[in-house]
């Protein structure tokens, strides 16, 4: 039996990941990702920031209601109203955690909070005690710890542990730290905080200098026993430490770590795909572990070596992280039950026969156009259909596009807008441009197009194109996705999907911006 410590993997894809502009998720999308994380066997799922908006509250509540094998956490500033709201959202969880935080760096305390260190300390202690009224499992973070003064950090950590915090998390909020320095910060804190043995030390690293994984690992080598991370490294600005990198580094280099993780790593790639398809953030091909090229050997000399002995150029097995794990193929002759059970395995629960029928009819349409239907196609099929139909104010009825050498491309689109069928036409620089203008002539969303990208979901010329459209309006950013074997239709679906989100966007508070 292993005598190694357990390294707690705290996934914050649904909270810090969701804070990255354009990555916001609906309640149902959060539940789907949470179920995939449960299958991956992460220890803690930070499901959101319940005070931010009614939607965030519902998201955390829904995740808390369905997840049985992971702890579910809600974020709260060190304020009574935040903590009470988090406690309420987590009431149905099998195991819940409240994560409360307040900034401790001189610049944040002075310029953002306008508070003295003593006031910050007092509020932190009060927040932890209040959170303990709801649960025994309370985590405290001194925000911007990476730029805080060590003496003050020691004082506040000792005080919050005495007040009942069971995890103390050290965030490098702005990604400023360097591995050996961050590692020694963790070591020093563990040595100097007198009651350090009564809490688990955790780290939460941002990737502004590309060091989030390295900093997290340096911290683990110096005694941190929880790492906060996100799938695909999603997160504010340059993102958070990537879960797949941290986990595979610890697994692969067991010679260097005196702890291990409990994850089922074969679920890493399916999780990565799901997060990418829901948020519309593509994974770069050369991304460690989950990038399409992570296990591809192009150079002849490498291929030759791998064929002779895989370990010449591979330090992990592709199957170990879930490549090829979920490539079961469905096709034209697959029935409703095959579809239902494959979707279930992918974490998609269709709640009624009607939903199954709708998904099945989309599946049949797709199978007419495409011979083999892969898991990626199914993910796209359900995320396409996933937006609550009742909330879709705009629906695509039909689209006709003409594109011919020497002619100006033009598009005619028929939409159902608030139940009424309307037609719009436009010309454009290309068929996609003409289509977007035709849609805009009906919807008048007043948005600015920030990003347009097309990805082939699988290989082959009959592959579905998955289009992401990012729209911005008055500082709000949304992503829309659409998939189809015809990329102009996929583009129209993505644009309409984004319009529906912008038409429903509600104001949300950001946890780290504004006054406490
Ligand atoms: O980056 C950060 O400091 C955070 C805290 C809320 C933990 O996300
Ligand atoms: Zn963060």
């Amino acid at each position: 039996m292993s005598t190694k410590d357990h390294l707690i993997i705290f996934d914050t894809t649904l909270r810090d990941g969701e804070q990255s502009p354009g990555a916001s998720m609906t309640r149902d999308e959060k539940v789907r990702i949470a179920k995939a994380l449960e299958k991956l066997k992460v220890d803690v799922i930070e499901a959101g920031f319940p005070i931010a908006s009614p939607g965030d509250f519902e998201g955390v509540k829904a995740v808390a209601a369905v997840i049985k094998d992971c702890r579910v956490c809600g974020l709260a500033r060190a304020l009574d109203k935040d903590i009470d709201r988090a406690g309420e959202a987590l009431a149905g969880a099998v195991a819940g955690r409240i994560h409360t935080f307040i900034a401790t760096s001189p610049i944040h305390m002075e310029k953002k909070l306008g508070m003295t260190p003593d006031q910050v300390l007092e509020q932190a202690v009060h927040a932890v005690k209040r959170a303990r009224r709801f649960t025994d499992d309370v985590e405290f973070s001194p925000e911007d710890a990476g730029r805080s003064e060590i003496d003050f950090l020691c004082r506040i950590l000792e005080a919050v542990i005495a007040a009942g915090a069971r995890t103390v998390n050290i965030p490098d909020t702005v990604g400023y730290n360097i591995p050996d320095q961050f590692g020694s910060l963790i070591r020093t804190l563990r040595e100097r905080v007198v009651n350090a043995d009564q809490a688990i030390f955790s780290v939460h690293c941002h990737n502004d200098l590309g060091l989030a994984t390295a900093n997290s690992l340096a911290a683990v080598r110096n005694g941190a026993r929880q790492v906060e991370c996100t799938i695909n490294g999603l997160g504010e600005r340059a993102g958070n430490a990537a879960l797949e990198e941290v986990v595979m580094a610890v697994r692969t280099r067991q010679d260097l770590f005196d702890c291990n993780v409990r994850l089922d790593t074969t679920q890493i790639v399916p999780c990565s795909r799901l997060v990418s398809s829901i948020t519309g953030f593509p994974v770069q091909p050369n991304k460690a572990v989950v990038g399409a090229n992570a296990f591809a050997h192009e150079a002849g000399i490498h291929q030759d070596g791998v064929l002779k002995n895989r370990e010449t150029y591979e330090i992990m097995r592709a199957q170990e992280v879930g490549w090829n794990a979920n490539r079961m193929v469905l096709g034209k002759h697959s029935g409703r039950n095959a579809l239902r059970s494959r979707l279930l395995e992918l974490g998609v629960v269709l709640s009624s026969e009607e939903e199954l029928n709708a998904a099945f009819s989309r599946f049949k349409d797709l199978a007419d156009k495409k011979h083999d239907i892969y898991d990626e196609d199914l993910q796209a099929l359900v995320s396409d259909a996933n937006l609550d139909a009742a909330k879709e104010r705009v629906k695509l009825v039909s689209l006709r596009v003409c594109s011919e050498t020497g002619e100006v491309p033009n598009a005619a689109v028929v939409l159902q807008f608030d139940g009424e069928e309307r037609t719009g036409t436009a010309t454009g620089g290309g068929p996609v441009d003409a289509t977007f203008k035709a849609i805009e002539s009906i919807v008048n969303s007043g948005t600015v197009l920030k990003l347009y990208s097309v990805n082939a979901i699988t290989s082959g010329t009959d592959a579905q194109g998955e289009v992401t459209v990012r729209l911005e309006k008055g500082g709000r950013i949304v992503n829309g996705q659409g998939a189809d074997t015809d990329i102009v239709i996929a583009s129209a679906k993505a644009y309409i999907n984004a319009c529906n989100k912008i038409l429903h966007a509600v104001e949300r508070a950001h946890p780290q911006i504004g006054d406490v």
Side-chain angles (χ1 to χ4, degrees):
M1 219 176 79
S2 166
T3 52
K4 292 198 172 189
D5 285 355
H6 173 57
L7 177 63
I8 298 168
I9 297 297
F10 176 115
D11 180 279
T12 182
T13 308
L14 301 180
R15 197 279 297 171
D16 218 337
E18 203 213 9
Q19 272 172 228
S20 62
S24 70
M25 301 163 203
T26 64
R27 185 196 59 186
D28 293 348
E29 287 168 342
K30 280 197 169 192
V31 167
R32 281 178 64 204
I33 293 179
K35 284 184 180 159
L37 292 171
E38 187 177 39
K39 241 174 139 183
L40 176 62
K41 294 199 165 95
V42 303
D43 299 281
V44 186
I45 298 174
E46 188 166 50
F49 175 45
I51 194 85
S53 71
D56 278 49
F57 176 83
E58 290 304 329
V60 176
K61 195 170 162 189
V63 171
V66 298
I67 296 301
K68 307 288 174 227
D69 292 334
C70 312
R71 202 163 273 282
V72 179
C73 176
L75 184 71
R77 290 167 299 185
L79 293 175
D80 289 359
K81 62 177 181 182
D82 282 38
I83 291 164
D84 296 354
R85 195 76 172 137
E88 203 186 324
L90 294 166
V94 169
R97 170 181 296 187
I98 295 178
H99 175 191
T100 185
F101 74 99
I102 188 165
T104 51
S105 62
I107 183 169
H108 275 230
M109 290 191 290
E110 192 192 321
K111 305 283 184 219
K112 184 176 93 168
L113 302 177
M115 290 169 78
T116 65
D118 284 345
Q119 287 169 328
V120 165
L121 187 142
E122 196 184 319
Q123 193 159 322
V125 168
H126 174 82
V128 168
K129 287 188 176 154
R130 188 159 186 114
R132 283 294 301 253
R133 291 193 200 166
F134 295 92
T135 169
D136 288 348
D137 193 338
V138 174
E139 170 171 331
F140 172 77
S141 290
E143 187 194 359
D144 204 17
R147 292 189 299 170
S148 300
E149 283 166 1
I150 187 88
D151 290 345
F152 183 52
L153 273 184
C154 290
R155 260 182 72 209
I156 198 165
L157 292 181
E158 183 183 335
V160 294
I161 294 171
R166 288 291 156 262
T167 305
V168 286
N169 177 46
I170 312 303
D172 182 16
T173 303
V174 291
Y176 179 68
N177 283 240
I178 303 291
D180 56 355
Q181 171 216 349
F182 194 62
S184 72
L185 170 66
I186 301 303
R187 178 166 296 271
T188 309
L189 291 173
R190 288 182 54 240
E191 283 166 2
R192 282 189 45 191
V193 174
V194 289
N195 49 5
D197 59 328
Q198 290 167 38
I200 294 197
F201 275 69
S202 164
V203 287
H204 174 113
C205 298
H206 279 269
N207 206 28
D208 300 67
L209 293 173
L211 294 170
T213 299
N215 284 336
S216 306
L217 296 174
V220 173
R221 302 248 298 147
N222 283 281
R225 285 296 174 262
Q226 173 176 289
V227 173
E228 302 198 354
C229 44
T230 58
I231 300 288
N232 300 339
L234 196 70
E236 290 266 30
R237 308 180 308 278
N240 289 61
L243 177 144
E244 60 277 9
E245 294 173 9
V246 172
V247 165
M248 290 317 292
V250 171
R251 269 280 161 91
T252 307
R253 297 306 309 269
Q254 274 293 291
D255 54 328
L256 295 181
F257 290 97
D258 49 5
C259 55
N260 206 347
V261 294
R262 70 154 190 165
L263 273 72
D264 174 0
T265 58
T266 62
Q267 294 302 317
I268 286 179
V269 169
C271 252
S272 157
R273 291 230 174 102
L274 181 65
V275 169
S276 170
S277 97
I278 284 180
T279 58
F281 281 52
V283 176
Q284 75 194 55
N286 57 333
K287 167 80 184 61
V289 184
V290 293
N293 290 351
F295 292 88
H297 298 282
E298 193 68 40
I301 190 167
H302 287 199
Q303 288 176 350
D304 183 55
V306 169
L307 289 175
K308 286 179 178 143
N309 181 335
R310 188 187 59 76
E311 287 177 17
T312 50
Y313 285 100
E314 271 185 18
I315 56 166
M316 305 166 262
R317 283 188 314 120
Q319 291 86 333
E320 214 182 315
V321 296
W323 284 104
N324 300 330
N326 279 321
R327 298 206 56 91
M328 179 172 152
V329 184
L330 299 183
K332 211 179 169 101
H333 303 294
S334 309
R336 208 176 297 258
N337 270 342
L339 176 69
R340 190 205 319 252
S341 48
R342 192 63 200 144
L343 285 175
L344 263 180
E345 280 168 37
L346 294 173
V348 181
V349 185
L350 299 171
S351 50
S352 63
E353 276 305 300
E354 260 169 30
E355 264 189 37
L356 176 63
N357 290 344
F360 190 62
S361 117
R362 297 166 79 94
F363 167 75
K364 283 287 177 191
D365 286 348
L366 183 60
D368 278 339
K369 298 186 210 154
K370 193 171 182 291
H371 190 260
D372 294 330
I373 305 211
Y374 295 97
D375 289 342
E376 294 88 332
D377 292 313
L378 295 181
Q379 305 268 25
L381 190 110
V382 286
S383 54
D384 221 18
N386 209 37
L387 193 74
D388 186 349
K391 289 193 185 148
E392 267 183 40
R393 290 182 56 192
V394 190
K395 290 182 183 141
L396 177 66
V397 178
S398 67
L399 173 66
R400 188 183 52 77
V401 183
C402 292
S403 178
E404 195 181 335
T405 36
E407 296 295 327
V408 180
N410 63 76
V413 66
V414 181
L415 301 181
Q416 211 181 72
F417 189 17
D418 285 338
E420 189 190 319
E421 215 157 276
R422 311 225 325 239
T423 304
T425 55
T427 55
V432 172
D433 188 40
T435 302
F436 287 4
K437 285 180 177 147
I439 297 171
E440 240 345 271
S441 74
I442 302 173
V443 177
N444 283 319
S445 71
T447 52
V448 180
L449 181 69
K450 289 288 187 190
L451 174 130
Y452 171 76
S453 80
V454 191
N455 252 311
I457 296 185
T458 54
S459 52
T461 47
D462 71 343
Q464 290 199 88
E466 185 172 52
V467 174
T468 299
V469 165
R470 186 171 302 156
L471 299 179
E472 195 247 4
K473 185 178 181 181
R476 286 189 208 155
I477 299 178
V478 296
N479 275 327
Q481 284 86 44
D484 201 283
T485 48
D486 178 325
I487 58 165
V488 183
I489 296 177
S491 304
K493 287 181 180 172
Y495 195 88
I496 291 169
N497 183 240
C499 285
N500 275 313
K501 288 185 180 171
I502 214 95
L503 293 172
H504 277 98
V506 283
E507 213 61 71
R508 300 169 73 200
H510 185 293
Q512 289 155 289
I513 299 174
D515 292 342
V516 164

